[in-house]
Amino acid sequence: MASAHIAVDASDGSTLPHEPTGYILSYGVSYKGVSAKGEALDDLPACPPSATAAHDAFVSKCGFSSTFSPTLNEDVTKSRMVEDVRRVATTVASHDVVVVYFSGHGKRMDDTACVIDGAGCVVSVRKLQAVFAETVAERDVRDVAFVVILDCCQTLSCGKVLAPVALCNWCGDICCCLCAGVADPGDDRNDLNFCVADADECSWFVGFATSPSAFVGHGGGLCVM
């Protein structure tokens, strides 16, 4: 994120001691041979290339760090994603930006957006945010941003569209699957929510990306303009 301009702290107008650094954590799953709750998941062969393209775009076009390589297919697990978020949270300095990009299947359950990893397991955005918040809080950093971009087409079981945070400029549409169940069975939902809400050091954004050729229930692809 190097720039010819001097970095300034928006909160007080002071000059920052360093240029902010961006970090990209990119994940893509094709789901070949993967099942969830006893049902085979639709193959999404475009998702791993989308994750690679997203990583490359952030690094080459936005000047983000290449510290974290794209993670694809069976390597995309909940434990790997949680550990990556914890690791990047121990790496960031004040005013840095972390982007998590996920291309694959997703759903909304237990009042949080979720993705499906390469083993068919649910990973909630709330859990990733809480891990980041908890780790950052243990360090003397401030004003760090945690951005999640979900390249997941997700349908409501009733067929209605759930309003997203952001829409793709190409297709202007996305839908989200509202599913029953507990997103984080090993954690207390309120504890996770409080952890995120109390993280004054962090700012949060969750948005969606999809391609104009995406079908309902299928991951699309990153729109690179």
Side-chain angles (χ1 to χ4, degrees):
M1 298 177 68
S3 168
H5 302 287
I6 297 174
V8 175
D9 189 339
S11 63
D12 59 15
S14 60
T15 301
L16 299 180
H18 68 91
E19 288 286 344
T21 299
Y23 296 90
I24 172 69
L25 304 178
S26 190
Y27 305 93
V29 186
S30 66
Y31 301 100
K32 185 175 181 179
V34 177
S35 298
K37 294 185 177 180
E39 296 184 4
L41 296 173
D42 291 335
D43 289 357
L44 302 178
C47 290
S50 290
T52 301
H55 177 275
D56 292 347
F58 274 100
V59 172
S60 63
K61 303 297 185 182
C62 304
F64 275 41
S65 169
S66 60
T67 300
F68 298 86
S69 300
T71 305
L72 309 175
N73 294 319
E74 64 271 10
D75 290 332
V76 181
T77 63
K78 179 176 182 177
S79 60
R80 171 69 178 268
M81 294 180 71
V82 168
E83 183 54 37
D84 284 348
V85 168
R86 184 174 288 113
R87 180 183 165 201
V88 77
T90 64
T91 304
V92 294
S94 295
H95 313 290
D96 286 351
V97 177
V98 176
V99 173
V100 177
Y101 175 87
F102 184 92
S103 184
H105 284 298
K107 60 174 67 177
R108 185 170 184 86
M109 60 188 300
D110 201 18
D111 198 30
T112 182
C114 301
V115 300
I116 309 300
D117 70 10
C121 299
V122 172
V123 185
S124 79
V125 169
R126 177 173 57 208
K127 174 67 173 180
L128 299 180
Q129 289 175 327
V131 169
F132 186 81
E134 184 178 41
T135 307
V136 166
E138 297 172 351
R139 306 176 57 230
D140 187 22
V141 296
R142 61 189 180 92
D143 297 334
V144 291
F146 190 79
V147 178
V148 178
I149 302 174
L150 301 178
D151 182 13
C152 307
C153 269
Q154 311 169 351
T155 59
L156 277 169
S157 57
C158 61
K160 295 182 180 179
V161 176
L162 183 66
V165 177
L167 294 175
C168 172
N169 290 329
W170 283 84
C171 64
D173 190 21
I174 194 167
C175 34
C176 200
C177 176
L178 190 61
C179 302
V182 179
D184 303 291
D187 298 281
D188 183 278
R189 179 176 67 175
N190 291 330
D191 287 345
L192 295 180
N193 285 333
F194 286 138
C195 183
V196 175
D198 290 343
D200 295 333
E201 305 87 351
C202 306
S203 57
W204 313 101
F205 178 84
V206 181
F208 295 87
T210 187
S211 74
S213 61
F215 293 97
V216 171
H218 297 261
L222 175 67
C223 293
V224 180
M225 302 178 65

